[in-house]
Coordinates of all heavy atoms in Angstrom, one line a residue:
Chain Z
S1108 N 44.8 55.2 164.2 CA 44.4 55.8 163.0 C 44.9 55.0 161.8 O 44.3 54.8 160.7 CB 44.8 57.2 162.7 OG 44.3 58.0 163.8
L1109 N 46.1 54.4 162.0 CA 46.7 53.5 161.0 C 45.9 52.2 160.8 O 45.8 51.7 159.7 CB 48.2 53.3 161.3 CG 49.1 52.8 160.2 CD1 49.2 53.9 159.1 CD2 50.5 52.6 160.8
A1110 N 45.4 51.8 162.0 CA 44.7 50.5 162.0 C 43.3 50.5 161.4 O 42.8 49.6 160.9 CB 44.7 49.9 163.4
I1111 N 42.6 51.7 161.6 CA 41.2 51.7 161.2 C 41.0 52.5 159.9 O 41.7 53.5 159.7 CB 40.3 52.1 162.3 CG1 40.6 53.6 162.8 CG2 40.2 51.2 163.5 CD1 39.7 54.1 163.9
G1112 N 40.0 52.1 159.2 CA 39.7 52.9 157.9 C 38.6 52.1 157.2 O 38.0 51.2 157.7
S1113 N 38.3 52.6 155.9 CA 37.2 52.0 155.2 C 37.5 50.5 154.8 O 36.6 49.7 154.9 CB 36.9 52.9 154.0 OG 38.1 53.2 153.3
G1114 N 38.7 50.3 154.4 CA 39.1 48.9 154.1 C 39.3 48.2 155.4 O 40.1 48.6 156.2
N1115 N 38.7 47.0 155.6 CA 38.9 46.3 156.8 C 40.2 45.6 156.9 O 40.5 44.6 156.1 CB 37.7 45.3 157.0 CG 36.9 45.7 158.3 OD1 37.5 46.2 159.3 ND2 35.6 45.6 158.2
V1116 N 41.1 46.0 157.8 CA 42.3 45.2 158.0 C 42.2 44.6 159.4 O 42.2 45.3 160.4 CB 43.5 46.1 157.9 CG1 44.8 45.3 158.2 CG2 43.6 46.9 156.6
P1117 N 42.2 43.3 159.5 CA 42.1 42.6 160.8 C 43.3 43.0 161.6 O 44.4 43.1 161.1 CB 42.0 41.1 160.5 CG 41.6 41.1 159.0 CD 42.2 42.3 158.4
W1118 N 43.1 43.0 163.0 CA 44.2 43.4 163.9 C 45.4 42.4 163.7 O 46.6 42.9 163.8 CB 43.8 43.4 165.4 CG 43.0 44.6 165.7 CD1 41.7 44.8 165.8 CD2 43.6 45.8 166.0 NE1 41.4 46.0 166.1 CE2 42.6 46.7 166.3 CE3 44.9 46.3 166.1 CZ2 42.8 48.1 166.6 CZ3 45.1 47.6 166.4 CH2 44.1 48.5 166.7
S1119 N 45.2 41.2 163.6 CA 46.3 40.2 163.5 C 47.1 40.5 162.3 O 48.4 40.6 162.3 CB 45.8 38.8 163.4 OG 44.8 38.7 162.4
D1120 N 46.5 40.9 161.1 CA 47.2 41.2 159.9 C 47.9 42.5 160.1 O 49.0 42.7 159.6 CB 46.2 41.3 158.7 CG 45.7 40.0 158.3 OD1 46.5 39.1 158.3 OD2 44.5 39.9 158.0
F1121 N 47.3 43.5 160.8 CA 47.8 44.8 161.0 C 49.2 44.7 161.7 O 50.2 45.4 161.3 CB 46.9 45.7 161.9 CG 47.4 47.0 162.2 CD1 47.6 48.0 161.3 CD2 47.8 47.3 163.5 CE1 48.1 49.2 161.6 CE2 48.3 48.5 163.9 CZ 48.5 49.5 162.9
W1122 N 49.3 43.9 162.8 CA 50.6 43.8 163.5 C 51.7 43.2 162.6 O 52.8 43.7 162.6 CB 50.5 43.0 164.8 CG 49.6 43.7 165.8 CD1 48.4 43.4 166.3 CD2 50.0 45.0 166.4 NE1 48.0 44.3 167.2 CE2 48.9 45.3 167.3 CE3 51.1 45.9 166.3 CZ2 48.9 46.5 168.1 CZ3 51.0 47.0 167.1 CH2 50.0 47.3 167.9
R1123 N 51.3 42.2 161.8 CA 52.2 41.6 160.9 C 52.7 42.5 159.9 O 53.9 42.7 159.7 CB 51.5 40.4 160.2 CG 52.4 39.6 159.2 CD 51.7 38.4 158.7 NE 50.4 38.7 158.1 CZ 50.2 39.3 156.9 NH1 51.2 39.6 156.2 NH2 49.0 39.5 156.5
I1124 N 51.8 43.3 159.3 CA 52.2 44.3 158.2 C 53.0 45.4 158.8 O 53.9 45.9 158.1 CB 50.9 44.8 157.5 CG1 50.2 43.6 156.8 CG2 51.3 45.9 156.6 CD1 48.8 43.9 156.4
L1125 N 52.7 45.8 160.0 CA 53.3 46.9 160.6 C 54.8 46.7 160.6 O 55.6 47.7 160.4 CB 52.7 47.2 162.0 CG 53.1 48.5 162.6 CD1 52.5 49.7 161.8 CD2 52.4 48.6 164.1
F1126 N 55.2 45.5 161.1 CA 56.6 45.3 161.2 C 57.2 44.7 160.0 O 58.5 44.6 159.8 CB 56.8 44.4 162.5 CG 56.4 45.2 163.7 CD1 55.3 44.7 164.4 CD2 57.1 46.2 164.2 CE1 54.8 45.5 165.5 CE2 56.7 46.9 165.3 CZ 55.6 46.5 166.0
N1127 N 56.5 44.1 159.1 CA 57.0 43.5 157.8 C 56.2 44.1 156.6 O 55.3 43.3 156.1 CB 56.9 42.0 157.9 CG 57.5 41.4 159.1 OD1 58.7 41.5 159.3 ND2 56.7 40.7 159.9
P1128 N 56.5 45.3 156.2 CA 55.8 45.8 155.0 C 56.1 44.8 153.8 O 57.1 44.3 153.6 CB 56.4 47.1 154.8 CG 57.1 47.5 156.0 CD 57.5 46.1 156.7
D1129 N 55.0 44.6 153.0 CA 55.1 43.7 151.9 C 54.3 44.3 150.8 O 53.1 44.4 150.8 CB 54.4 42.4 152.4 CG 54.4 41.3 151.2 OD1 55.0 41.7 150.1 OD2 53.8 40.3 151.4
N1130 N 55.0 44.7 149.7 CA 54.4 45.4 148.6 C 53.4 44.6 147.8 O 52.6 45.1 147.1 CB 55.5 46.0 147.7 CG 56.2 47.2 148.3 OD1 55.6 47.9 149.1 ND2 57.4 47.4 147.9
T1131 N 53.5 43.3 147.9 CA 52.6 42.4 147.1 C 51.3 42.2 147.8 O 50.3 41.9 147.2 CB 53.2 41.1 146.8 OG1 53.6 40.4 148.0 CG2 54.5 41.2 145.9
D1132 N 51.3 42.4 149.1 CA 50.1 42.3 149.9 C 49.2 43.5 149.8 O 49.6 44.6 150.1 CB 50.5 42.0 151.4 CG 49.3 41.7 152.3 OD1 48.2 41.9 151.8 OD2 49.6 41.3 153.4
P1133 N 47.9 43.3 149.3 CA 47.0 44.5 149.2 C 46.8 45.2 150.5 O 46.6 46.4 150.6 CB 45.7 43.9 148.6 CG 45.8 42.4 148.8 CD 47.3 42.1 148.8
L1134 N 46.7 44.4 151.6 CA 46.5 45.0 152.9 C 47.7 45.9 153.3 O 47.5 47.0 153.9 CB 46.3 43.9 154.0 CG 45.0 43.1 153.9 CD1 44.8 42.1 155.0 CD2 43.8 44.0 153.9
S1135 N 48.9 45.4 153.0 CA 50.1 46.2 153.2 C 50.0 47.5 152.4 O 50.4 48.6 152.9 CB 51.3 45.4 152.9 OG 52.4 46.2 153.1
T1136 N 49.6 47.4 151.2 CA 49.4 48.6 150.4 C 48.5 49.6 151.0 O 48.7 50.8 151.1 CB 48.9 48.2 149.0 OG1 49.7 47.1 148.5 CG2 49.0 49.4 148.0
I1137 N 47.4 49.1 151.5 CA 46.4 50.0 152.2 C 47.1 50.8 153.3 O 46.9 52.0 153.4 CB 45.2 49.2 152.7 CG1 44.3 48.7 151.5 CG2 44.3 50.1 153.6 CD1 43.1 47.9 152.0
I1138 N 47.8 50.0 154.1 CA 48.4 50.7 155.3 C 49.5 51.5 155.0 O 49.6 52.7 155.4 CB 48.8 49.6 156.3 CG1 47.5 49.0 157.0 CG2 49.7 50.2 157.4 CD1 47.7 47.9 157.9
W1139 N 50.5 51.1 154.2 CA 51.7 51.8 153.9 C 51.6 52.8 152.8 O 52.3 53.8 152.8 CB 52.9 50.9 153.7 CG 53.3 50.3 155.0 CD1 53.1 48.9 155.3 CD2 53.9 50.9 156.2 NE1 53.6 48.7 156.7 CE2 54.1 50.0 157.2 CE3 54.3 52.2 156.4 CZ2 54.6 50.2 158.4 CZ3 54.8 52.5 157.6 CH2 55.0 51.5 158.6
Q1140 N 50.8 52.5 151.7 CA 50.8 53.4 150.6 C 49.6 54.4 150.7 O 49.7 55.5 150.1 CB 50.6 52.6 149.3 CG 51.6 51.5 149.1 CD 52.9 52.0 148.8 OE1 53.1 52.9 148.0 NE2 53.9 51.3 149.4
I1141 N 48.5 54.0 151.4 CA 47.4 54.9 151.5 C 47.3 55.6 152.8 O 47.3 56.9 152.9 CB 46.1 54.2 151.1 CG1 46.2 53.6 149.7 CG2 44.9 55.1 151.3 CD1 45.0 52.7 149.3
R1142 N 47.1 54.8 153.9 CA 46.9 55.5 155.2 C 48.1 56.2 155.7 O 48.1 57.2 156.3 CB 46.5 54.4 156.2 CG 45.0 53.9 155.9 CD 44.6 53.0 157.0 NE 43.4 52.3 156.5 CZ 43.0 51.1 157.1 NH1 43.6 50.6 158.2 NH2 41.9 50.5 156.7
F1143 N 49.3 55.5 155.6 CA 50.5 56.1 156.2 C 50.8 57.5 155.7 O 50.9 58.5 156.5 CB 51.7 55.2 156.0 CG 53.0 55.7 156.6 CD1 53.1 55.6 158.0 CD2 54.0 56.2 155.9 CE1 54.3 56.1 158.6 CE2 55.1 56.7 156.4 CZ 55.3 56.6 157.8
P1144 N 50.9 57.8 154.4 CA 51.2 59.2 153.9 C 50.2 60.1 154.4 O 50.4 61.3 154.7 CB 51.3 59.0 152.4 CG 50.8 57.7 152.0 CD 50.9 56.8 153.2
R1145 N 48.9 59.6 154.4 CA 47.8 60.5 154.7 C 47.9 61.0 156.2 O 47.6 62.1 156.5 CB 46.5 59.7 154.4 CG 45.3 60.6 154.6 CD 44.1 59.9 154.0 NE 42.9 60.7 154.3 CZ 41.8 60.4 153.8 NH1 41.6 59.4 152.9 NH2 40.7 61.1 154.2
L1146 N 48.3 60.0 157.1 CA 48.4 60.3 158.5 C 49.6 61.3 158.7 O 49.5 62.2 159.5 CB 48.7 59.1 159.3 CG 47.4 58.4 159.8 CD1 47.8 57.0 160.3 CD2 46.8 59.2 160.9
I1147 N 50.7 61.1 158.0 CA 51.8 61.9 158.1 C 51.4 63.4 157.7 O 51.7 64.4 158.3 CB 53.0 61.4 157.2 CG1 53.5 60.1 157.7 CG2 54.1 62.5 157.1 CD1 54.3 60.2 159.0
A1148 N 50.6 63.4 156.6 CA 50.1 64.7 156.1 C 49.3 65.3 157.2 O 49.4 66.6 157.5 CB 49.3 64.5 154.8
A1149 N 48.4 64.6 157.8 CA 47.5 65.1 158.8 C 48.3 65.6 160.0 O 48.1 66.7 160.5 CB 46.5 64.1 159.4
L1150 N 49.3 64.9 160.4 CA 50.2 65.3 161.5 C 50.9 66.6 161.2 O 50.9 67.5 162.0 CB 51.2 64.1 161.7 CG 52.2 64.3 162.9 CD1 51.5 64.4 164.2 CD2 53.1 63.0 162.9
L1151 N 51.6 66.6 160.0 CA 52.3 67.8 159.7 C 51.4 69.0 159.6 O 51.8 70.1 160.1 CB 52.9 67.6 158.3 CG 54.3 67.0 158.2 CD1 54.7 66.9 156.8 CD2 55.3 67.9 159.0
I1152 N 50.3 68.9 158.9 CA 49.4 70.1 158.6 C 48.8 70.5 159.9 O 48.7 71.7 160.1 CB 48.4 69.7 157.5 CG1 49.1 69.5 156.2 CG2 47.3 70.8 157.4 CD1 48.3 68.9 155.1
G1153 N 48.3 69.5 160.7 CA 47.7 69.9 162.0 C 48.7 70.7 162.9 O 48.3 71.7 163.5
A1154 N 49.9 70.2 162.9 CA 50.9 70.8 163.7 C 51.3 72.2 163.2 O 51.4 73.2 163.9 CB 52.2 70.0 163.7
G1155 N 51.4 72.3 161.9 CA 51.8 73.6 161.2 C 50.7 74.6 161.4 O 51.0 75.7 161.8
L1156 N 49.4 74.3 161.2 CA 48.4 75.2 161.3 C 48.2 75.7 162.7 O 48.0 76.9 163.0 CB 47.0 74.7 160.8 CG 47.0 74.4 159.3 CD1 45.6 73.8 158.9 CD2 47.1 75.7 158.5
A1157 N 48.3 74.8 163.7 CA 48.2 75.1 165.1 C 49.3 76.1 165.6 O 49.1 77.1 166.2 CB 48.1 73.9 166.0
A1158 N 50.5 75.8 165.1 CA 51.7 76.6 165.5 C 51.5 78.0 164.9 O 51.8 79.0 165.5 CB 53.0 76.0 165.0
V1159 N 51.1 78.0 163.6 CA 50.9 79.4 163.0 C 49.8 80.1 163.7 O 49.9 81.4 163.8 CB 50.6 79.2 161.4 CG1 50.1 80.5 160.8 CG2 51.8 78.6 160.7
G1160 N 48.7 79.4 164.1 CA 47.7 80.1 164.9 C 48.3 80.8 166.1 O 47.9 82.0 166.3
C1161 N 49.1 80.1 166.9 CA 49.7 80.7 168.0 C 50.5 81.9 167.7 O 50.4 83.0 168.3 CB 50.7 79.7 168.7 SG 50.1 78.3 169.3
A1162 N 51.3 81.9 166.6 CA 52.1 83.0 166.2 C 51.3 84.1 165.7 O 51.5 85.3 166.2 CB 53.0 82.6 165.0
F1163 N 50.2 83.9 164.9 CA 49.3 85.0 164.4 C 48.7 85.7 165.6 O 48.5 86.9 165.7 CB 48.3 84.5 163.4 CG 48.8 84.4 162.1 CD1 48.3 83.5 161.2 CD2 49.8 85.3 161.6 CE1 48.7 83.5 159.8 CE2 50.3 85.2 160.3 CZ 49.7 84.3 159.4
Q1164 N 48.2 84.9 166.6 CA 47.5 85.4 167.7 C 48.4 86.3 168.5 O 48.0 87.4 169.1 CB 46.9 84.3 168.6 CG 45.6 83.7 167.9 CD 45.3 82.3 168.3 OE1 45.7 81.8 169.3 NE2 44.7 81.6 167.4

Side-chain angles (χ1 to χ4, degrees):
Chain Z
S1108 304
L1109 200 58
I1111 58 179
S1113 48
N1115 243 324
V1116 180
W1118 279 100
S1119 53
D1120 289 319
F1121 176 69
W1122 290 115
R1123 178 175 53 77
I1124 292 159
L1125 195 60
F1126 296 107
N1127 308 296
D1129 175 7
N1130 283 336
T1131 57
D1132 183 349
L1134 290 182
S1135 177
T1136 312
I1137 289 178
I1138 287 177
W1139 286 110
Q1140 311 284 320
I1141 297 175
R1142 287 184 197 165
F1143 182 75
R1145 187 165 171 170
L1146 270 170
I1147 294 291
L1150 180 58
L1151 271 180
I1152 293 168
L1156 291 176
V1159 169
C1161 295
F1163 276 153
Q1164 284 152 28

